[in-house]
Amino acid sequence: MSGRLCLDLAGTKLWRRSLRTELLNSPSDMGRWMRQAELLDDPGPMDTRGLERVRRLREAIYVLVRAWPPGDDPSGAGFRDALAEVNDAARLPLPRHQLDVSGRLTRTGGVDEVLGAVARDAVDLLSSAQFGKTKECANPDCTRLFVDVSRSGARRWCGMAECGNKHKAASYRKRKKQQTVMET
């Protein structure tokens, strides 16, 4: 959806300016996200401490992406704290990838390995030319971030199913209403 693992994690908190919808409500939600992100095949038992660490990294990534590049005067302690959080996590180990005898990939590890993989992806994104293609959804309420890899570079929505279709439907209804008013 977002085009980057770190932005997928940042997207587990929706509507930051209004409804603030948390998608990682429990350790089991976090484990499910790890599987869906294809970081770990079986995250094993998760706890609230691990959940809090993942949420902390998520918020640090969001802060950095919104404030990047830092320029001559990085914007305050929040920015520096977020940078330290991402850099600390980027030093953690990565999930272990191995092949079994049938040639199937297995991904093992725990919270540390997931934090390491996500933080390294954030470091890679922030230090790459691809960062210039990073955008926030054009829906004023939506705060999802994505990398626009479209040929034209004109992508506006986090996804058509989420925000794009809603905007298009609202625009259509508005045009129809105006047309009806003009005809009467």
Side-chain angles (χ1 to χ4, degrees):
M1 165 106 48
S2 72
R4 291 304 289 247
L5 177 61
C6 62
L7 300 181
D8 288 343
L9 178 61
T12 62
K13 188 169 192 177
L14 305 175
W15 316 102
R16 292 168 186 268
R17 288 187 281 274
S18 56
L19 300 175
R20 293 194 175 131
T21 305
E22 176 64 68
L23 299 181
L24 298 179
N25 289 302
S26 68
S28 63
D29 291 339
M30 178 179 64
R32 190 170 26 266
W33 181 84
M34 290 175 182
R35 280 189 301 281
Q36 289 171 346
E38 297 181 349
L39 287 165
L40 302 176
D41 296 325
D42 180 14
M46 296 285 131
D47 61 20
T48 55
R49 184 176 173 275
L51 175 61
E52 201 47 49
R53 291 175 66 206
V54 168
R55 285 178 177 171
R56 206 169 46 244
L57 178 62
R58 173 191 67 193
E59 296 310 307
I61 290 168
Y62 186 78
V63 165
L64 288 183
V65 170
R66 296 280 293 140
W68 204 260
D72 294 334
D73 183 24
S75 50
F79 179 88
R80 289 189 298 276
D81 291 347
L83 186 60
E85 183 78 32
V86 169
N87 283 332
D88 287 347
R91 289 189 281 276
L92 293 171
L94 295 174
R96 291 173 295 284
H97 288 199
Q98 296 183 333
L99 293 174
D100 65 16
V101 293
S102 68
R104 192 179 124 247
L105 171 68
T106 60
R107 297 168 290 247
T108 60
V111 172
D112 277 356
E113 288 78 9
V114 168
L115 292 172
V118 173
R120 286 182 194 178
D121 184 61
V123 168
D124 180 60
L125 174 63
L126 293 168
S127 65
S128 74
Q130 193 179 41
F131 179 75
K133 297 178 180 183
T134 302
K135 297 178 179 180
E136 187 174 70
C137 183
N139 177 343
D141 292 324
C142 185
T143 56
R144 297 215 48 191
L145 302 165
F146 60 90
V147 177
D148 181 359
V149 293
S150 66
R151 188 176 301 182
S152 66
R155 180 177 166 191
R156 298 180 57 209
W157 313 108
C158 62
M160 287 308 292
E162 295 84 10
C163 294
N165 282 339
K166 289 177 187 175
H167 176 77
K168 285 184 173 190
S171 293
Y172 174 79
R173 285 190 302 273
K174 183 178 178 182
R175 282 192 312 274
K176 282 300 207 184
K177 185 177 181 180
Q178 288 173 342
Q179 184 179 22
T180 303
V181 169
M182 292 175 75
E183 291 173 354
T184 56

